[in-house]
Amino acid sequence: MKLDPRHLEILAAIVEAGGLTEGAALIGKSQPSVSRSVSLLEDRVGEPLFLPTRRPLQPTELGLVLAQEGQRILSAGRHASRVVDEHRQGIAGAVRVAGTPIFMDGVISNVIAEFQAEYPNIRIDQSYGYHTELLSQLSAETLDLAILPMRPADVSDEYEFRQILPGRNVIACRLGHPLARKKVVKLEDITEFSWIAPPASSPLFRDLRNTLDGIGMRDLKISFTGGSLSAVVNVLTGSDSLTVLPFSVVFMMQRQKTLTALPIKIGDPDRHLGCVTLSARSLPASSNRVLEFIKQKFEMLDRLICNAG
């Protein structure tokens, strides 16, 4: 025998609330429609579901068992409504975020940790990539948000670029590096040390070459090439090598007493870190919440960096 789940749900509401009128109010229906549904269910099962002449209403044994089944349906409906409401409010869901490895591991991962402490029901699916690859993923709508260092002038109308941090690079080394102990560091001081280079395909590698060319270093001794920030940090902290990193990444590492920046002015890149989204696409509420959270945290980070010089 197949029973109408809506009838079981109504039966559960009546038993939970203690009466027809109260049950109707609980699920937002009229009392006559609820009464008709109970009659239809009783006709279907062939016996009464409430004890006659008992007030308040008391279910029969069969009525109680069927009400328990209906309670599962009622609970599932309530849970589904909560899920929909949470997605609409942007406090639940999944957001696909990607960016360059150095920024994602050095800065963004800390922001994501703070975000998930505040919004634990939003899942972040993080991946890595560079400019061309991530813009293609945005266009294909397989990515919600890209965090990239870009020249705003290079961003086409297909995308929206929101700058979150000005571009600034520094020469980085371990905290106890011989040069870090000097009050004044001259350009010739850095020529005797080897360098760590990011992957040749990354914008940071071009920044490294431009920096060293700008200070007259033509013979570059590269001791290590690594794509992940953890690999670069491990080699830096275990050697006297130098590298070029975004100041925001080094700033975070300074707070962890891992890396420091040498007091040498180098040219800043003409790219700025920003959040990139697809212009024609309306982001889900959860993605918008992640975007606004990142912008807020980077405003705070920018102020801290400016205060630190």
Side-chain angles (χ1 to χ4, degrees):
M1 177 184 294
K2 185 175 181 180
L3 302 179
D4 191 330
R6 292 171 297 177
H7 293 166
L8 296 177
E9 182 181 8
I10 289 169
L11 178 63
I14 295 169
V15 173
E16 180 181 329
L20 287 171
T21 301
E22 295 83 358
L26 185 64
I27 56 177
K29 293 183 176 294
S30 67
Q31 190 271 339
S33 69
V34 166
S35 181
R36 285 195 299 272
S37 295
V38 172
S39 296
L40 288 171
L41 183 57
E42 288 179 330
D43 290 343
R44 181 66 174 163
V45 300
E47 59 181 273
L49 298 175
F50 291 95
L51 297 174
T53 69
R54 294 290 182 89
R55 294 293 181 272
L57 285 178
Q58 294 184 24
T60 63
E61 182 64 29
L62 177 60
L64 184 61
V65 172
L66 292 179
Q68 290 171 345
E69 296 301 320
Q71 186 62 48
R72 295 189 179 93
I73 300 170
L74 191 61
S75 298
R78 289 169 176 168
H79 176 71
S81 295
R82 284 196 301 271
V83 168
V84 171
D85 288 342
E86 288 174 353
H87 275 72
R88 286 177 174 171
Q89 296 168 26
I91 58 176
V95 183
R96 300 162 297 180
V97 181
T100 55
I102 293 293
F103 276 117
M104 294 304 289
D105 290 346
V107 187
I108 302 298
S109 59
N110 295 315
V111 175
I112 289 175
E114 291 183 53
F115 178 84
Q116 292 200 301
E118 192 168 337
Y119 299 100
N121 292 328
I122 295 181
R123 187 182 81 244
I124 305 294
D125 296 332
Q126 179 188 300
S127 56
Y128 302 99
Y130 294 105
H131 174 276
T132 303
E133 175 189 1
L134 297 188
L135 293 186
S136 295
Q137 290 180 24
L138 286 173
S139 297
E141 298 191 14
T142 57
L143 185 66
D144 300 309
L145 176 64
I147 303 172
L148 292 167
M150 295 185 66
R151 300 177 182 89
D154 291 344
V155 182
S156 70
D157 292 340
E158 184 182 359
Y159 309 100
E160 183 173 356
F161 178 83
R162 302 171 179 88
Q163 180 178 317
I164 57 176
L165 202 64
R168 181 182 174 188
N169 288 338
V170 293
I171 296 177
C173 63
R174 65 182 175 88
L175 202 59
H177 194 281
L179 295 182
R181 296 194 292 267
K182 300 182 69 171
K183 292 183 178 180
V184 178
V185 180
K186 300 177 181 178
L187 291 178
E188 55 265 28
D189 294 334
I190 68 174
T191 58
E192 61 181 280
F193 295 98
S194 60
W195 290 78
I196 294 173
S201 58
S202 73
L204 201 56
F205 181 82
R206 294 192 295 274
D207 290 344
L208 173 62
R209 292 295 332 186
N210 292 338
T211 295
L212 297 179
D213 288 345
I215 61 179
M217 284 190 65
R218 299 287 183 250
D219 298 324
L220 178 63
K221 179 184 177 184
I222 296 178
S223 60
F224 179 81
T225 299
S228 72
L229 180 63
S230 60
V232 170
V233 171
N234 286 338
V235 176
L236 274 180
T237 55
S239 70
D240 286 338
S241 296
L242 305 172
T243 195
V244 170
L245 286 174
F247 184 46
S248 57
V249 173
V250 177
F251 181 80
M252 299 298 290
M253 294 291 150
Q254 282 178 324
R255 301 173 79 185
Q256 300 170 18
K257 301 188 183 302
T258 306
L259 303 182
T260 190
L262 295 181
I264 296 179
K265 292 291 185 181
I266 61 176
D268 292 330
D270 56 355
R271 301 180 314 277
H272 304 293
L273 187 65
C275 297
V276 190
T277 56
L278 195 62
S279 297
R281 183 187 177 205
S282 179
L283 287 177
S286 54
S287 297
N288 270 319
R289 191 173 293 279
V290 171
L291 176 59
E292 291 303 317
F293 191 90
I294 290 173
K295 287 166 58 181
Q296 176 189 359
K297 290 300 178 181
F298 269 84
E299 286 175 5
M300 297 171 57
L301 177 61
D302 192 22
R303 288 196 294 269
L304 289 172
I305 289 175
C306 289
N307 291 335

